[in-house]
């Protein structure tokens, strides 16, 4: 139900009503024509005399001076009760998201309606799921994150364990050999019970994140949630991945095996093969702390022919896994994050193959001291168009020179590569004939004063150039002539009273 005012007519007394109502309602209620008309209709209804027979004469203008008595006193009548749930829900949905929480505190009805507007939720207390309160409070969820709630957190603990974006309170006896004890995580049968409840209540679920789930719980999700497209599993193991084979529309999967000081589970070639055979529509795959080898990557490449983005974080792959990338016939983006090594033993160059469709190569926080593995990586990615290297350890001139293997580079982005010099950069970028965009930031060994005429000529024809290699030289050039940077007794002078 939607109430709209006729654009060509103006409600009588609208200007006076706006002036009187403005202190009681947010400005957005008056900027929107529909909301403003609803308020006016409520006022007309409140002041319309009760009569059994409808009046044929047009309604007279209400006595607006009496509106000063209108207040939000809890004992006063609830004028929003004149609106149906559908109309009030439509009104609340048009308000800014920043006001949703405060609006939910007005009354129980508004609290219930606010829950119907929430589609994404991170659960911190597992009892919120098992008690069924989450289903009553938020009936329309499509994105549910259970990762934090699957870790039993003592409320009185002052110890906080943080890994990337997740922080939990733990007690001293929860730590064993650098990882959380098994008692710190919910048992798999408890997690599966919660997943069965979720599967029955949220058939339109599109994203799910959980910790410690087993095959039984994931099978129930696969049966009851046909629209699930994104799945994130922490500490799940190989056999649990058999449960997601029935999720036909699954497109994004994130598997967390080794997670800092939190937990450690084994995801090997067995799990990767089960994943590849069951989820053939995968578009994005992220493997964090997972084990595996050439066989697991090959299975993913052969079965998941729609895979476009592959991310490996802190991987524990066996030597030779790089050669499996050549089977990924539609891969466009390859990301390596926080990897201590690329490939310990990539093998002979002629057996590596090439990923012909690859367009982007991202390395962040990786150790790339081994020339053999770096060379193998660039050989597999020889057709790449964008190369992004951020905070990579060991990126010296001779290691970076191997990037000249890639002849079709269009974008190069370097950030935090403190060992690279201007000579190593010039040697590579001058060999790329298709280079159009260059970004160099926080590379302290690259100096502005060392730029050669050949490199300056290249800079002049680039479509995009971000050049902030040395923050010290950039600062001195920007402050030239301002007087800052001199001795204190010259620049700072004591004021005289």
């Amino acid at each position: 139900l939607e109430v709209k005012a006729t654009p060509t007519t103006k409600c009588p007394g609208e200007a006076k009503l706006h002036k009187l109502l403005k202190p009681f309602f947010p400005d957005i209620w008056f900027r929107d024509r529909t909301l403003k008309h609803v308020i006016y209709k409520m006022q007309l209804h409140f002041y319309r005399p009760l009569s059994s027979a409808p009046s044929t004469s047009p309604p007279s203008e209400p006595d607006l001076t009496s509106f000063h008595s209108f207040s939000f006193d809890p004992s006063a009548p609830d004028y929003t009760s004149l609106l149906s749930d559908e109309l009030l829900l439509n009104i609340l949905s048009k308000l800014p998201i920043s006001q949703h929480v405060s609006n939910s505190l007005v009354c129980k009805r508004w609290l219930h309606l606010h829950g119907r507007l929430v589609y994404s939720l991170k659960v911190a207390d597992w009892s919120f799921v098992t008690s069924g309160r989450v289903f009553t409070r938020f009936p329309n969820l499509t994105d549910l994150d259970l990762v934090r709630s699957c870790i039993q957190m003592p409320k009185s603990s002052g110890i906080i364990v943080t890994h990337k974006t997740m922080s939990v309170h733990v007690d001293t006896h929860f730590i064993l050999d650098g990882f959380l004890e098994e008692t710190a995580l919910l048992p798999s049968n408890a997690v599966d019970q919660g997943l069965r409840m979720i599967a029955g209540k949220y058939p339109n679920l599109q994203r799910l994140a959980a910790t410690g789930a087993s095959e039984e719980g994931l099978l129930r999700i696969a049966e009851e949630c046909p629209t699930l497209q994104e799945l994130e599993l922490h500490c799940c193991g190989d056999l649990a991945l058999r449960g997601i084979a029935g999720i036909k529309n699954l497109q994004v999967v994130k598997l967390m095996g080794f997670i800092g000081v939190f937990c450690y589970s084994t995801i090997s070639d067995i799990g990767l093969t089960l994943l590849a055979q069951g989820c053939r529509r995968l578009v994005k795959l992220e493997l964090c702390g997972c084990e595996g080898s050439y066989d697991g990557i090959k299975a993913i490449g052969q079965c998941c022919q729609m895979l476009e983005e592959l991310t490996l974080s802190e991987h524990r792959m066996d030597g030779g896994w790089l050669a499996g990338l050549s089977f990924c016939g539609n891969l466009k983006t390859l990301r390596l994050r926080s990897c201590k090594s690329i490939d310990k033993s990539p093998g002979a160059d002629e057996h590596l193959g090439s990923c012909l469709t690859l367009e982007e190569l991202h390395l962040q926080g990786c150790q790339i001291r081994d020339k053999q593995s770096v060379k193998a990586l660039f050989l597999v990615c020889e057709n790449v168009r964008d190369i992004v290297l951020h905070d990579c350890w060991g990126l010296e001139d001779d290691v970076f020179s191997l990037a000249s293997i890639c002849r079709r580079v269009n974008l190069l982005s370097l950030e935090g590569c403190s060992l690279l010099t201007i000579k190593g950069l010039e040697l590579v970028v001058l060999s790329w004939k298709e280079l159009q965009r260059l970004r160099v930031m926080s590379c302290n060994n690259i100096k502005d004063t060392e730029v050669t005429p050949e490199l300056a000529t290249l800079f002049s024809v680039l479509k995009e150039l971000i050049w902030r290699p040395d923050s010290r030289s950039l600062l001195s050039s920007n402050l030239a002539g301002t007087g800052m940077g001199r001795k204190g007794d010259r620049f700072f002078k004591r004021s005289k009273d």
Side-chain angles (χ1 to χ4, degrees), residues 60-80:
S60 60
E61 182 178 344
D63 184 10
L64 299 178
T65 58
S66 63
F67 192 80
H68 288 288
S69 62
F70 180 83
S71 65
F72 291 98
D73 186 3
S75 61
D78 180 11
Y79 301 104
T80 61

Side-chain angles (χ1 to χ4, degrees), residues 192 195-196 199-200 215-225 243:
D192 292 340
L195 292 181
R196 288 194 294 269
E215 179 183 358
E216 181 181 354
L218 294 175
L219 278 174
R220 188 62 178 272
I221 292 292
E223 295 173 358
E224 303 291 338
C225 304

